Amino acid sequence: MKSKTLTYLVLGAVLAVGFQPTFASAADTTTAKATATTAVADRNPKNLEQTGTFKAGPGIAVVSTDAGKLQGYVQDDIYNYRGVQYAEAKERFKPATPVEHWDGIKMAVNNGPISPQPKGGFLDDWGQPGREFKEDNNAQNLNIWTPGINDNQKRPVMVWIHGGGFSNGSSLENASYDGQNLAKEGDVVVVSVNHRLNGVGYLDLSAYGDQYKESGNVGIHDLVDSLKWIKTNIANFGGDPNNVTIFGESGGGAKVLALMTTPEAKGLFQKGIVESGATETMGVYFNTKPFAKRVAVLTLEKLNIAPDEVDKIQSVPMDQFQKVSNEALEQAGIEFGIKRPLDGQPGGSWEPVVDGNFMPTDPVLDNGFAEAGKDVSLLIGSNRTEWTNFQDILNIEKTQYDNVNTWSDAEIDAKLKEKYGDKADAVVTEFLKAYPNKKKGDALYIDTMIRNPMRKIMTHKADQNGAPVYAYVFTYDAPVMNGVYMSYHTSEIPFVFHNVDLVAGSYGGSQDAYDLQDVMASAWVNFARTGDPNGDKVPAWSTYTDDNKSTMVFDTTSGERVDYDAELQELISQ
């Protein structure tokens, strides 16, 4: 039986922009190649004239990498490469190895496989079909969008790391992750990365032999390998290998924090962006060694594999491994009294393992931030409502007629009293101070689960007196479906990618939405280019320090606020 933890993590992965079904089941072949075809001989190209917006054929979009040549395609003047293999995982639970060299030209026009994972269950979104991908342990592949190749332009490189906790998701799971518009609007190189997840990426078998020494963190090892590939090859794709920004949302943001913590990634990127990337038990802190060891013990017991026969786990059918390892994770979480991020009930989550070596510490320390991240500039923030309106969204057929925008004043007062008790009036007062453009009823939807851990991270990072920190909160409420969506978890993503047009069903395609995406995409690109989000289209934005706690609030009218919601958060958290 699927645990609540995994159900919530699947929901988190697919909640982005319209609740599309994200995952498809497939056999785990472990040695399948991520590239779409075998290389063909490199010949002198002869092409028919192509005058349209889509160009593909001999000699078009051909780039050299350290392992061989790749051929992509050009769409609306942006070069596209899909399913580019950056490493190869020949066995489960072990770090991947470099890609073997090939002769000729390999096609890079099809999406690569994704990590094995539990399956999502949402229906299509506003006529957009759900996306399905092959699943494989050998899922070390990436996608690239770039305005130019072989041109020595040294564009900023923006590496997107998908969400879904550390359990689910993929680099192209929904339309909002497409890097085409961001690359074109910002003149940047956009990369998105697939990597191992859940027990495939974080089951710690290190107690059973040196061959599994790194098994508890091979998911992060994959991401490090992708950054090494980018460092070596991205110049030929028009990017600057010394100006790399990693950015991610939810679990992707937590992966950014993990990469800022491991010394293995030091120097492979210069800036990080964390969007809604932490709860108190995921992102701020990761799994301990004793907990991870217990998960492994239970997994082997449930699979009837003796410790001295651990290699048998290599051939366990993937569906069986997923089921059993998730049961073990749940049981260990209950034994250790670990609370799940979303529902607060006992139960574990797949996360990196703090092993004192590859992952030397948690991202947040008692008196600071991970040392490896000291020189990495950080842009960090969350959304106003996050998960607080999740049930309303799930029941949208009903709630479109029955929500905060339809309730009477008396109904709103009653609900505020029910939620906050004697603090209701004080909460409303502080809420309207913090958000003067919102309504009293909106005080029913105030995120603390993500906002407070994010405040902790930005404060500890700023106190480190290293590279600068910029903080934000996204508060835009779309009018679609009578305003039920609000600023839900993942809702900022299409604005960052300049992809509001691709997900109009969630945002309505209003001028307000278009204007906001111009502001946010510009801020993200500015930060990637220079380490400072300020510039054209972006209101003045100061660094976050312990003294001023400056925060950019993104909405129909965006602007900087100073320590604007501290009293509200403290009041609600009492």
Side-chain angles (χ1 to χ4, degrees):
M1 182 175 180
K2 189 182 292 184
S3 71
K4 287 185 178 180
T5 303
L6 291 166
T7 300
Y8 276 122
L9 289 173
V10 172
L11 299 183
V14 299
L15 190 57
V17 200
F19 321 109
Q20 301 173 35
T22 312
F23 316 113
S25 91
D28 169 46
T29 62
T30 71
T31 58
K33 299 293 184 182
T35 46
T37 63
T38 303
V40 298
D42 189 359
R43 304 171 181 170
N44 291 327
K46 289 186 178 180
N47 267 321
L48 296 175
E49 183 180 5
Q50 299 185 45
T51 59
T53 59
F54 187 99
K55 298 180 178 66
I60 295 175
V62 175
V63 177
S64 293
T65 73
D66 61 337
K69 291 183 178 181
L70 294 171
Q71 180 180 340
Y73 60 90
V74 184
Q75 183 172 7
D76 293 328
D77 299 322
I78 297 297
Y79 293 82
N80 282 246
Y81 301 86
R82 300 293 181 97
V84 177
Q85 194 165 18
Y86 61 81
E88 183 176 2
K90 297 179 179 179
E91 295 184 86
R92 297 176 184 172
F93 316 116
K94 297 180 182 180
T97 57
V99 177
E100 295 181 6
H101 186 273
W102 67 85
D103 296 322
I105 303 174
K106 276 189 176 182
M107 300 294 287
V109 298
N110 295 322
N111 297 325
I114 67 174
S115 176
Q117 57 194 262
K119 314 305 181 285
F122 284 115
L123 301 177
D124 296 357
D125 168 49
W126 304 109
Q128 292 188 22
R131 297 183 173 187
E132 297 184 348
F133 303 94
K134 179 182 178 181
E135 296 179 5
D136 201 297
N137 180 66
N138 187 29
Q140 294 73 33
N141 61 85
L142 51 79
N143 312 294
I144 303 171
W145 297 263
T146 178
I149 59 174
N150 304 316
D151 59 5
N152 296 314
Q153 287 300 299
K154 293 188 176 181
R155 298 173 180 87
V157 181
M158 300 182 69
V159 183
W160 173 250
I161 305 175
H162 67 76
F166 290 85
S167 297
N168 306 87
S170 69
S171 64
L172 288 168
E173 62 186 349
N174 60 61
S176 66
Y177 290 7
D178 190 289
Q180 175 87 12
N181 290 335
L182 184 59
K184 190 168 188 175
E185 294 291 330
D187 191 29
V188 296
V189 179
V190 180
V191 182
S192 64
V193 183
N194 285 316
H195 48 281
R196 281 174 284 185
L197 304 166
N198 50 70
V200 177
Y202 301 100
L203 180 66
D204 185 2
L205 298 170
S206 59
Y208 303 97
D210 287 344
Q211 70 271 35
Y212 296 115
K213 178 181 178 182
E214 303 297 334
S215 58
N217 287 305
V218 292
I220 303 301
H221 271 280
D222 285 351
L223 291 172
V224 172
D225 286 340
S226 75
L227 293 173
K228 289 179 178 178
W229 187 96
I230 289 167
K231 182 80 169 180
T232 301
N233 295 288
I234 207 65
N236 289 348
F237 293 86
D240 184 349
N242 297 312
N243 190 11
V244 176
T245 298
I246 57 174
F247 68 126
E249 187 275 338
S250 193
K255 293 164 196 170
V256 170
L257 294 169
L259 289 167
M260 293 176 69
T261 303
T262 175
E264 293 296 315
K266 190 173 178 63
L268 297 176
F269 64 98
Q270 290 69 46
K271 295 172 282 290
I273 301 176
V274 176
E275 304 170 26
S276 304
T279 65
E280 194 64 29
T281 58
M282 180 186 291
V284 176
Y285 309 110
F286 291 141
N287 283 338
T288 65
K289 193 72 174 177
F291 173 76
K293 181 179 179 180
R294 180 58 177 161
V295 175
V297 168
L298 291 170
T299 298
L300 294 181
E301 287 179 356
K302 291 174 182 292
L303 290 171
N304 295 315
I305 295 176
D308 59 353
E309 297 178 316
V310 66
D311 286 343
K312 287 184 176 180
I313 200 170
Q314 294 284 347
S315 58
V316 173
M318 183 54 69
D319 286 347
Q320 181 185 5
F321 170 75
Q322 289 281 333
K323 179 178 182 295
V324 168
S325 62
N326 287 327
E327 289 173 353
L329 179 74
E330 182 83 358
Q331 181 177 334
I334 292 171
E335 291 178 6
F336 276 69
I338 296 173
K339 294 183 178 180
R340 293 186 294 240
L342 295 181
D343 63 7
Q345 297 302 308
S349 301
W350 294 113
E351 301 176 22
V353 178
V354 179
D355 61 3
N357 185 24
F358 177 82
M359 195 64 60
T361 66
D362 291 305
V364 173
L365 309 176
D366 290 341
N367 57 350
F369 189 82
E371 182 61 28
K374 182 174 182 178
D375 297 328
V376 177
S377 300
L378 179 64
L379 192 157
I380 181 170
S382 59
N383 301 347
R384 181 178 69 85
T385 63
E386 294 286 1
W387 292 91
T388 59
N389 59 325
F390 183 54
Q391 290 301 321
D392 290 347
I393 294 174
L394 286 182
N395 298 305
I396 202 164
E397 182 176 356
K398 173 181 179 292
T399 55
Q400 63 177 317
Y401 302 106
D402 181 18
N403 63 68
V404 68
N405 297 307
T406 69
W407 297 330
S408 68
D409 286 344
E411 288 175 310
I412 289 172
D413 288 340
K415 292 178 184 293
L416 287 165
K417 182 73 172 178
E418 179 183 3
K419 182 167 187 174
Y420 298 118
D422 294 339
K423 297 190 297 185
D425 289 342
V427 168
V428 169
T429 297
E430 290 301 328
F431 176 79
L432 293 176
K433 284 183 185 177
Y435 300 103
N437 63 328
K438 302 300 180 185
K439 307 181 299 296
K440 177 174 69 173
D442 294 330
L444 289 162
Y445 302 94
I446 306 170
D447 167 64
T448 59
M449 181 182 71
I450 293 176
R451 174 67 176 148
N452 280 336
M454 299 296 273
R455 291 171 65 220
K456 178 184 290 186
I457 293 168
M458 61 185 69
T459 298
H460 279 239
K461 179 71 169 72
D463 288 347
Q464 195 178 28
N465 294 318
V469 177
Y470 293 89
Y472 78 89
V473 173
F474 178 81
T475 68
Y476 176 76
D477 295 331
V480 175
M481 299 303 285
N482 213 7
V484 171
Y485 287 129
M486 295 186 241
S487 46
Y488 64 89
H489 188 65
T490 74
S491 60
E492 86 290 350
I493 295 175
F495 295 86
V496 167
F497 275 87
H498 216 275
N499 280 340
V500 167
D501 259 348
L502 300 184
V503 289
S506 296
Y507 302 96
S510 68
Q511 189 59 50
D512 283 342
Y514 291 135
D515 290 345
L516 182 54
Q517 81 170 348
D518 285 344
V519 173
M520 293 190 69
S522 294
W524 264 236
V525 167
N526 293 342
F527 181 76
R529 194 176 304 280
T530 68
D532 185 339
N534 288 283
D536 291 344
K537 302 180 181 178
V538 182
W541 190 348
S542 304
T543 56
Y544 182 97
T545 68
D546 194 44
D547 293 331
N548 70 9
K549 294 183 173 61
S550 176
T551 303
M552 178 62 66
V553 177
F554 288 112
D555 210 318
T556 51
T557 300
S558 300
E560 184 177 85
R561 305 285 298 280
V562 176
D563 201 17
Y564 80 103
D565 69 340
E567 293 184 11
L568 173 64
Q569 291 290 332
E570 291 167 8
L571 179 63
I572 295 173
S573 301
Q574 289 175 357

